[in-house]
Amino acid sequence: MTTTSEVQTPLPEPEAPARGPALRTLRAVAVPAQLTLVSCLFSGVPVPDAVMLGGRLLLLVLLCAEAYVWLRLRRLGLSRRESLARLVPERVARYVAHEARILASLVRWVVRRPHGVGEADGVFPHARDQAAMMYGLTFVCVAETVALSFLLARWPVVHAVLLVVDVYTVLFVLGMHAAAVTRPHVLAGDVLRVRHAAHVDIRIPLARITSIRRESLFTHTKKDGELNLPIGSQTSLTLGLTEPVNAPKLLGAPRPVRVIRLHADDPKSLYDAVTRARAASTPAPAPQDAD
């Protein structure tokens, strides 16, 4: 009697649904339709009730479709972050995350809780030299908001919309400065973390730093492989790297760089700290045996 053992191959896991053609088509129709209706309402163009009802139903269908895809992704075992990456285009997600970091920086600025300095060996602020410019720009935005409020008082809808935009602009300007204040450069272990506002956050291993020099520059030319992070149009330190590190752009496009120019309120302290850390991390040469 012979027995045969059957080898069962595992069934392939079901593929998580992505943004299919139906959802993309629905977005392509619903989003421009909503923008058109909003533009008509703001400009005073009369919109028939049937068109308004159709626009609301279209928006409701879009929200239900998005919720349905979200639930399917979650049921297939994807995490919230993975589900969001499947559902939302990467550029949109990165832009929203950037705006969220700006607003979160305002809260951190008020409560005086810097970001990412918990286990740091050295913290190096870099926002001091832009404070006067940012406060002046904020004052201009506030003055513009007040002036437009008086000029547009006769058009309440337009006044309300522009008031929201102007208030958000003021918060955004303050948030950019708050991000610079609450996200300083950080030296932790054998990694230098270089940051700029809320959109640049680069971790550079000290082993990749081939040179660091103090030089004050007030003009910068864009070149491939170089990254300039001026504060108040000034950089005070230049890092040279043995191999490129990725400094992605705002919407996620890769940007390999081998030269980074940055600024610090006390460039000497940052220079000395990096120099000491590099010396400590470099192994001493082995002694040679005498003949």
Side-chain angles (χ1 to χ4, degrees):
M1 179 178 180
T2 60
T3 60
T4 59
S5 59
E6 296 181 358
V7 179
Q8 297 182 353
T9 58
L11 296 176
E13 295 182 358
E15 184 180 357
R19 300 183 299 274
L23 184 57
R24 288 197 297 267
T25 303
L26 186 58
R27 287 178 177 176
V29 174
V31 174
Q34 299 302 316
L35 293 177
T36 302
L37 287 176
V38 171
S39 301
C40 291
L41 291 175
F42 289 161
S43 59
V45 176
V47 179
D49 294 338
V51 176
M52 286 295 300
L53 179 61
R56 292 176 181 177
L57 291 177
L58 189 60
L59 178 60
L60 179 61
V61 171
L62 175 62
L63 294 177
C64 290
E66 301 279 5
Y68 172 73
V69 176
W70 170 268
L71 291 176
R72 286 193 62 191
L73 293 171
R74 296 289 289 152
R75 288 173 183 173
L76 289 174
L78 274 69
S79 65
R80 293 181 179 178
R81 183 181 295 272
E82 293 171 341
S83 300
L84 184 64
R86 289 263 187 166
L87 194 60
V88 180
E90 181 183 3
R91 293 184 176 182
V92 176
R94 283 184 171 272
Y95 181 79
V96 173
H98 175 261
E99 300 299 299
R101 286 193 296 269
I102 290 290
L103 298 179
S105 297
L106 283 171
V107 179
R108 288 183 173 274
W109 191 27
V110 172
V111 300
R112 297 184 178 182
R113 292 188 60 183
H115 176 272
V117 300
E119 299 179 356
D121 299 324
V123 178
F124 308 96
H126 58 268
R128 180 186 61 196
D129 292 337
Q130 75 172 13
M133 178 186 67
M134 300 302 287
Y135 292 148
L137 185 58
T138 302
F139 175 78
V140 172
C141 293
V142 172
E144 179 191 10
T145 301
V146 175
L148 286 178
S149 297
F150 284 103
L151 293 175
L152 300 176
R154 297 181 179 180
W155 299 277
V157 176
V158 179
H159 173 266
V161 173
L162 290 182
L163 180 61
V164 172
V165 173
D166 288 339
V167 170
Y168 184 79
T169 301
V170 173
L171 293 177
F172 182 83
V173 173
L174 284 176
M176 290 289 290
H177 181 59
V181 172
T182 58
R183 294 173 177 267
H185 306 310
V186 173
L187 180 62
D190 59 350
V191 175
L192 175 63
R193 190 174 182 181
V194 175
R195 300 193 279 189
H196 186 77
H199 63 282
V200 175
D201 193 340
I202 315 170
R203 289 176 171 85
I204 307 173
L206 295 180
R208 291 195 185 184
I209 300 178
T210 184
S211 65
I212 176 172
R213 59 183 182 271
R214 293 176 56 189
E215 55 179 2
S216 297
L217 299 176
F218 294 90
T219 58
H220 304 87
T221 303
K222 291 184 178 180
K223 296 181 180 180
D224 292 337
E226 297 185 2
L227 178 63
N228 300 311
L229 305 175
I231 296 293
S233 302
Q234 176 186 5
T235 57
S236 53
L237 291 164
T238 301
L239 301 177
L241 308 180
T242 57
E243 57 183 284
V245 297
N246 184 32
K249 298 180 181 179
L250 177 62
L251 299 181
R255 179 174 51 184
V257 295
R258 297 190 63 169
V259 175
I260 300 177
R261 297 183 181 90
L262 62 147
H263 183 66
D265 293 346
D266 188 354
K268 183 178 183 302
S269 296
L270 179 54
Y271 174 86
D272 293 341
V274 172
T275 302
R276 288 193 301 266
R278 289 179 63 209
S281 62
T282 302
Q288 298 181 354
D289 296 335
D291 293 337

